[in-house]
Amino acid sequence: MAVTTVAEVMAELAALEDPKARAVNERHGDDHGVNLGNLRALAKRLKTQQELASQLWETDDSAARLLALLICRPKAYGRAELDAMIREARTPKVHDWLVNYVVKKNPHAEELRLAWLADPDPVVASAGWALTTERVAKRPEGLDLAGLLDTIEADMKDAPDRLQWAMNHCLAQIGIEHPEHRTRAIAIGERLGVLEDYPTPPGCTSPYAPVWIAEMVHRKDG
């Protein structure tokens, strides 16, 4: 039988709580203890339920909010609603899933991208940069890539962590996808040195933009 009430869902999430998962998540700034594979399995069983998703979001519980983002209808949200949600998204995973699973599929994504890029809250601004990175890779028409590089060069070095990470991703994506800007993107990365010493596990690509760009271009070129 499908779980359909908030109380039932919250009870199931509580039953899925795993201290080991919580310890791993907390190291990344996330305050829940539910294995994401189990969370996705629950979402698959629940299927799309917009009203339930809205109710789960209102609980302010991170696991419930992640589940809400998996069972919602992304196009059902208005611009003001999504703007409020991005400001309520307190943890990195909730913020990331909200941007990638909901906002990117919403008809207000471009309006929000422009508004959030200029927002004084660095976490909100990071969402604007994430949406910009998506456009750099998939729909660059109309973007001022040279202007984006100007902003990154001026502001990334001293930006707060999450905003810096998002700007760095955009820098790398410009270098990877747009050969005419690649030399400059690499030079900016080398000059700023952002994430140069980031600990990177074996087999993973460094987020340091010059290395990231070189590795991805090498893969694309075969």
Side-chain angles (χ1 to χ4, degrees):
M1 183 182 295
V3 178
T4 55
T5 71
V6 172
E8 288 172 321
V9 173
M10 296 305 291
E12 184 148 2
L13 289 173
L16 291 172
E17 175 75 20
D18 178 354
K20 291 181 180 178
R22 178 173 286 277
V24 171
N25 291 334
E26 286 181 345
R27 286 201 293 273
H28 296 95
D30 295 308
D31 59 353
H32 71 91
V34 180
N35 175 279
L36 295 181
N38 292 335
L39 196 72
R40 291 182 187 279
L42 176 55
K44 187 175 181 181
R45 197 170 81 242
L46 289 170
K47 300 184 170 62
T48 302
Q49 298 191 50
Q50 180 62 27
E51 184 177 352
L52 179 59
S54 297
Q55 293 169 346
L56 288 171
W57 183 269
E58 291 302 319
T59 65
D60 196 30
D61 176 86
S62 289
R65 284 186 163 182
L66 290 172
L67 181 62
L69 297 171
L70 294 174
I71 67 169
C72 73
R73 287 196 302 274
K75 294 180 180 179
Y77 294 103
R79 173 180 168 167
E81 195 170 9
L82 289 174
D83 185 70
M85 289 169 72
I86 204 72
R87 297 173 196 281
E88 295 165 358
R90 297 172 294 103
T91 63
K93 186 65 70 177
V94 172
H95 181 275
D96 181 58
W97 282 20
L98 175 58
V99 172
N100 287 292
Y101 296 169
V102 180
V103 180
K104 284 182 180 179
K105 300 175 182 178
N106 184 275
H108 299 289
E110 180 61 14
E111 300 166 56
L112 290 168
R113 180 186 77 83
L114 293 170
W116 289 345
L117 269 179
D119 200 277
D121 182 329
V123 176
V124 175
S126 74
W129 279 96
L131 294 171
T132 300
T133 301
E134 171 91 349
R135 278 205 54 190
V136 166
K138 297 183 178 179
R139 295 180 292 106
E141 299 79 13
L143 286 180
D144 179 5
L145 297 178
L148 288 173
L149 290 175
D150 289 343
T151 301
I152 291 167
E153 188 168 25
D155 298 341
M156 183 172 74
K157 180 77 170 178
D158 298 318
D161 286 351
R162 285 170 62 185
L163 178 55
Q164 184 184 73
W165 187 272
M167 294 176 81
N168 182 72
H169 190 179
C170 190
L171 172 65
Q173 207 66 56
I174 291 172
I176 293 164
E177 299 292 343
H178 300 280
E180 69 276 20
H181 295 287
R182 186 170 296 152
T183 298
R184 186 182 174 203
I186 291 171
I188 290 171
E190 289 174 342
R191 185 159 55 255
L192 298 182
V194 169
L195 301 176
E196 184 174 8
D197 299 322
Y198 191 85
T200 304
C204 295
T205 302
S206 169
Y208 175 50
V211 173
W212 190 354
I213 293 167
E215 174 64 23
M216 297 310 293
V217 169
H218 176 71
R219 292 185 195 180
K220 287 177 70 172
D221 290 347

